[in-house]
Amino acid sequence: MAAPRIAVHKLASCDGCQLALLNLGEDLLALAEAVEIRHFVEAGWVDEEAEVDIALVEGAVSTPHDAERIRAVRARSRLLVAVGACATAGGVQALRNEGDLDAWLGRVYPHPEWVEAAPRCEPLSAHVPVDLELPGCPVSGAQVVAALASLLRGAAPAPARDAVCMACKRAGHVCTLVAGGAPCMGPVTVTGCGAVCPGQGRDCYGCYGPAAQANTPALMRRFRALGLDAEAVARRFAGIQAGAEVFAKARYQALHDATLNRERLERRATAREEREGQG
Amino acid sequence: MSRRIEIRVPALARVEGEGALELAVADGRIEQLRLRIYEPPRLFERFLEGRDPHEVPDLVARICGICPVAYQMTAVHAFEDLAGVDPGAWVAAMRRVVYCGEWIESHALHIHLLALPDFLGYDNAVDMARAHREVVSRGLRLQALGNEIIRLFGGRSVHPVGLRVGGLHRAPRAAEVAALRGRLEDAVVQAEALVRWCAGLELPEDAQEFTCVALRHARDYAIERGRIVSSRGHDLAPAEWERHFAEHQVPHSTALHAHLDGAPYLVGPLARLNLNHDRLPEATRDLVRAAGLALPSRNMFHSMLARALEIHFALVEAVRLLAGYGEPEAAAVPVAVPAGVAFAATEAPRGLLWHRYEVGADGLVRRARIVPPTSQNQARIEADLAAHLEAFGLHRDDEALRRRAETVVRNYDPCISCSTHFLRTVEIRRR
């Protein structure tokens, strides 16, 4: 049997998920012997047009050119794997979807008209069918190798669904939310990182995206009870995984609460002024 | 002689991020030469507006997967400096150890996976490893060790989570530190061997004039603190950066170009070594002598040797800083960031990294400005390419010209993902 052909592509991203491969050490050399790497620009293989069995794609679609590229990659790949938060949810740069792109470009570039950008920064799935999504920021080498191993044996890897809390409890970390009083995102964030933040004694900030059945309203009430104002609660959901739908909804809810709260305070202030004016 | 030839190469490989190089040669002269950076703009500076300073380190890490610590470190220093808070000697020492880890990881990756295949005539490290297995394995082990330092202090090597405004989130246990320190000590001989091996490589001769810029510290080989100095006599506090350095946009790049007093300049390992070799520990200075390297060097191809020497330095430094390690009572101090303007500069693996934040009365960031090393080096890379390719000989065949041009660019270890606010196609046109 011929060695399976692999391609690694990169769109808008920090290159961090490709490090899942470049940081494999000796295993990278072993992997390169077990498969036929056809395209992996950062590592030195260049053949953008190669037909492959598995394409690993890092990065979000954020320019018209990249939208064309991902369609071409899809057409030449038997299986397409979205690797990392940028490819699965747009990544941290999806935060720009909520702003005025022209104004934002104008804030960073003196000549925004020289810069090509699509109106929105989107995950691969907004443009093409995706066979498997690995959602972390960054994904780990173990995740990518395990996914490749399953796919190469013709099996579909089971995606993680549990919350970080499960991994955190198994590791025996002290709960940063209950015991530490920190606004930990662990209860609503999918596992895969190995509860790395609580392991460092700090609150999870949601970089792996939403867990299945994430109870965001309950966690948001808890954050308010910890003393976070509505804007600060909204910012907890406006991080690396801002583009993930569950987190986006939670953010809008928090901002809506903030607006209602502000309006209520304003009405109260107006009423008080009127009373004092009459008095 | 009048040749009109057009060459197009589909991708500039072994650099981080995406962009292109275009070279037009007419009648044996370079008509146009430009690095086109079209990595999509990611607009980080805008995302930081409206954020609490304590949220900034986790966000700025995402500018670069290869050097997240540099971005985090520069941000935390800026806010602590504005707040007038010094988290103390333990935090300072441990942060320097983490930064040493990132230098080791990034430099070892660049030497072995990105740059070295150029000098040994391979397309990639895997092909190179078939003939030079021990060299590649040694490099990958050093890279892994750099990653382990970062992991010990930050839970993972890419986008670590240990650094915070005010200190570290967690102090490693003494037993964990002792185990790692032993492995670092054992690796020093591997770094020595790497330096001697790099010194033996046949490099292109190429003396050029360029201005070097780096941080300089009164006592240490500057990494995370110091004043901004240049080979032309500048000596500036980080807050004075804007007085002498200016960024401008060019139509062919999503990375801004930076100039020092109107001219290109060099940041990175060779600039640091040229300006600060007197601050290296004795053991690394001995290696500079053993390698036969006369400093300051005007040959940009000494950059790889400079990286190897900095790996040695970083190992020796981490071993020194971890000697007698004790767990502190607290790994961080509380920091309330007041309104005002925060500045900091540190030495990322690829060179000087400068941050500026305006903090409002509500305690949130109102405006951010981040100047990464690669955008500072862009103008210098274009100048180097023009000078080097003319000296190399524009009459040479297209394949030789293309390979040499790529080698020149990769020698800077450009980090394109970092610099966008950067390469995909190499295009050589001759008319």
Side-chain angles (χ1 to χ4, degrees):
Chain A
M1 196 184 81
R5 300 157 302 170
I6 307 284
V8 180
H9 295 271
K10 179 194 136 57
L11 306 173
S13 69
C14 77
D15 276 63
C17 287
Q18 292 178 77
L19 284 180
L21 294 170
L22 295 177
N23 275 338
L24 283 177
E26 297 278 333
D27 288 347
L28 173 64
L29 303 180
L31 177 70
E33 297 298 337
V35 301
E36 184 187 348
I37 301 177
R38 296 295 303 275
H39 179 76
F40 186 178
V41 173
E42 183 163 346
W45 287 268
V46 182
D47 184 1
E48 172 97 25
E49 319 256 297
E51 301 254 342
V52 296
D53 296 299
I54 301 174
L56 304 172
V57 183
E58 170 193 299
V61 181
S62 74
T63 67
H65 176 70
D66 281 352
E68 281 170 34
R69 273 181 73 199
I70 193 61
R71 283 194 294 274
V73 168
R74 175 72 269 186
R76 290 192 295 267
S77 313
R78 193 164 62 80
L79 295 168
L80 178 69
V81 184
V83 181
C86 296
T88 61
V92 68
Q93 55 273 346
L95 284 166
R96 77 166 164 85
N97 295 347
E98 282 157 47
D100 174 344
L101 177 64
D102 290 335
W104 283 30
L105 283 169
R107 210 65 197 256
V108 176
Y109 296 100
H111 292 280
E113 71 278 9
W114 293 346
V115 178
E116 188 194 49
R120 291 178 60 81
C121 177
E122 296 175 314
L124 308 188
S125 60
H127 294 262
V128 294
V130 173
D131 298 294
L132 177 67
E133 295 194 319
L134 302 174
C137 181
V139 294
S140 72
Q143 270 178 298
V144 174
V145 170
L148 274 179
S150 289
L151 292 174
L152 292 174
R153 283 165 181 76
R161 299 170 58 83
D162 291 346
V164 167
C165 291
M166 302 293 280
C168 193
K169 295 288 166 287
R170 278 197 294 271
H173 300 315
V174 175
C175 182
T176 61
L177 179 67
V178 175
C184 184
M185 294 281 282
V188 297
T189 300
V190 72
T191 190
C193 63
V196 65
C197 285
Q200 294 290 314
R202 61 170 288 187
D203 47 322
C204 161
Y205 57 95
C207 72
Y208 268 59
Q213 297 165 330
N215 190 346
T216 52
L219 189 64
M220 289 159 69
R221 284 194 297 275
R222 182 72 188 237
F223 287 177
R224 294 298 301 271
L226 290 173
L228 274 69
D229 65 27
E231 279 89 355
V233 172
R235 289 203 305 275
R236 291 302 283 163
F237 292 90
I240 311 306
Q241 290 274 0
E245 201 182 331
V246 172
F247 285 3
K249 278 185 180 158
R251 185 164 70 252
Y252 292 133
Q253 186 61 49
L255 290 172
H256 181 66
D257 292 350
T259 307
L260 290 180
N261 192 41
R262 199 163 50 239
E263 285 170 2
R264 195 169 58 236
L265 290 173
E266 280 167 8
R267 275 199 306 275
R268 245 187 243 167
T270 311
R272 190 166 54 238
E273 276 168 26
E274 281 171 2
R275 275 200 309 275
E276 285 166 0
Q278 285 162 2
Chain B
M1 186 188 74
S2 165
R3 277 209 302 180
R4 290 162 179 270
I5 305 171
E6 190 171 302
I7 303 171
R8 190 173 150 66
V9 183
L12 179 49
R14 287 185 276 119
V15 296
E16 290 124 16
E18 301 210 312
L21 175 63
E22 291 175 0
L23 175 62
V25 176
D27 299 327
R29 286 190 314 112
I30 292 175
E31 194 172 60
Q32 187 189 56
L33 188 161
R34 54 189 205 178
L35 269 177
R36 275 182 60 209
I37 293 178
Y38 43 94
E39 175 83 19
R42 294 171 69 217
L43 306 171
F44 262 88
E45 285 132 316
R46 180 60 187 79
F47 308 148
L48 298 172
E49 294 174 14
R51 296 283 176 167
D52 186 293
H54 293 275
E55 297 166 17
V56 171
D58 292 327
L59 289 168
V60 292
R62 269 70 186 184
I63 292 173
C64 181
I66 327 272
C67 58
V69 170
Y71 286 89
Q72 296 180 319
M73 201 77 79
T74 315
V76 299
H77 279 206
F79 294 124
E80 288 166 8
D81 191 58
L82 176 60
V85 171
D86 176 359
W90 183 87
V91 167
M94 293 309 121
R95 283 182 175 169
R96 195 166 157 87
V97 171
V98 179
Y99 222 143
C100 283
E102 183 158 283
W103 276 25
I104 295 166
E105 164 265 321
S106 180
H107 284 356
L109 187 153
H110 182 257
I111 292 175
H112 299 91
L113 294 179
L114 310 187
L116 200 48
D118 282 332
F119 297 97
L120 296 180
Y122 296 93
D123 285 332
N124 59 67
V126 170
D127 290 347
M128 186 172 70
R130 293 198 182 95
H132 302 274
R133 181 72 186 212
E134 277 314 304
V135 171
V136 174
S137 291
R138 178 179 63 204
L140 294 173
R141 284 196 301 272
L142 286 165
Q143 182 186 338
L145 207 47
N147 282 328
E148 289 220 20
I149 298 176
I150 303 172
R151 201 175 292 123
L152 177 60
F153 288 90
R156 62 186 175 198
S157 63
V158 180
H159 307 327
V161 301
L163 283 169
R164 57 175 295 181
V165 179
L168 299 176
H169 282 287
R170 168 186 178 265
R173 304 279 169 262
E176 296 172 306
V177 170
L180 180 64
R181 185 175 181 272
R183 295 177 55 203
L184 297 173
E185 223 166 354
D186 292 344
V188 172
V189 291
Q190 294 180 40
E192 280 174 19
L194 171 64
V195 170
R196 291 176 195 275
W197 188 82
C198 281
L201 285 172
E202 206 171 306
L203 299 175
E205 280 298 321
D206 184 28
Q208 294 191 14
E209 282 305 314
F210 49 84
T211 301
C212 294
V213 173
L215 288 184
R216 183 168 171 84
H217 185 265
R219 188 182 64 244
D220 303 328
Y221 190 78
I223 305 178
E224 78 293 356
R225 58 183 176 170
R227 289 176 66 80
I228 300 166
V229 303
S230 84
S231 51
R232 284 170 38 211
H234 296 85
D235 182 1
L236 309 166
E240 297 172 304
W241 190 88
E242 285 167 303
R243 274 193 231 163
H244 291 270
F245 294 81
E247 282 183 301
H248 60 276
Q249 191 183 0
V250 294
H252 59 270
S253 177
T254 48
L256 302 172
H257 279 217
H259 279 161
L260 167 59
D261 295 337
Y265 61 98
L266 175 75
V267 298
L270 188 61
R272 290 194 288 254
L273 204 60
N274 279 343
L275 292 165
N276 292 327
H277 56 93
D278 59 328
R279 296 286 188 268
L280 287 168
E282 193 57 45
T284 311
R285 268 187 286 160
D286 286 346
L287 270 181
V288 172
R289 276 187 292 273
L293 180 61
L295 294 170
S297 165
R298 293 283 151 217
N299 185 354
M300 266 310 300
F301 288 105
H302 282 145
S303 295
M304 192 163 60
L305 182 56
R307 285 188 186 93
L309 283 159
E310 285 193 339
I311 289 174
H312 181 268
F313 153 73
L315 276 171
V316 170
E317 183 73 351
V319 169
R320 179 182 76 82
L321 290 165
L322 293 175
Y325 175 87
E327 292 173 39
E329 268 178 41
V333 295
V335 180
V337 182
V341 185
F343 300 92
T346 71
E347 285 289 339
R350 288 160 194 76
L352 186 73
L353 170 61
W354 184 82
H355 289 204
R356 175 188 188 276
Y357 300 94
E358 279 174 45
V359 179
D362 56 2
L364 302 180
V365 173
R366 282 170 49 191
R367 194 113 198 212
R369 191 174 169 207
I370 292 174
V371 182
T374 295
S375 68
Q376 300 183 67
N377 271 341
Q378 263 191 119
R380 168 88 267 273
I381 298 173
E382 289 185 354
D384 183 352
L385 273 170
H388 184 85
L389 292 178
E390 279 181 356
F392 180 62
L394 294 169
H395 60 281
R396 298 200 194 223
D397 66 59
D398 291 359
E399 180 61 15
L401 270 179
R402 178 189 66 82
R403 275 190 168 266
R404 185 53 74 88
E406 288 192 33
T407 302
V408 170
V409 174
R410 278 195 283 270
N411 186 47
Y412 286 81
D413 193 7
C415 190
I416 294 168
S417 304
C418 280
S419 59
T420 37
H421 354 234
F422 187 80
L423 293 159
R424 184 162 22 219
T425 338
V426 177
E427 206 175 292
I428 306 177
R429 285 178 291 121
R430 303 198 198 222
R431 289 186 296 135

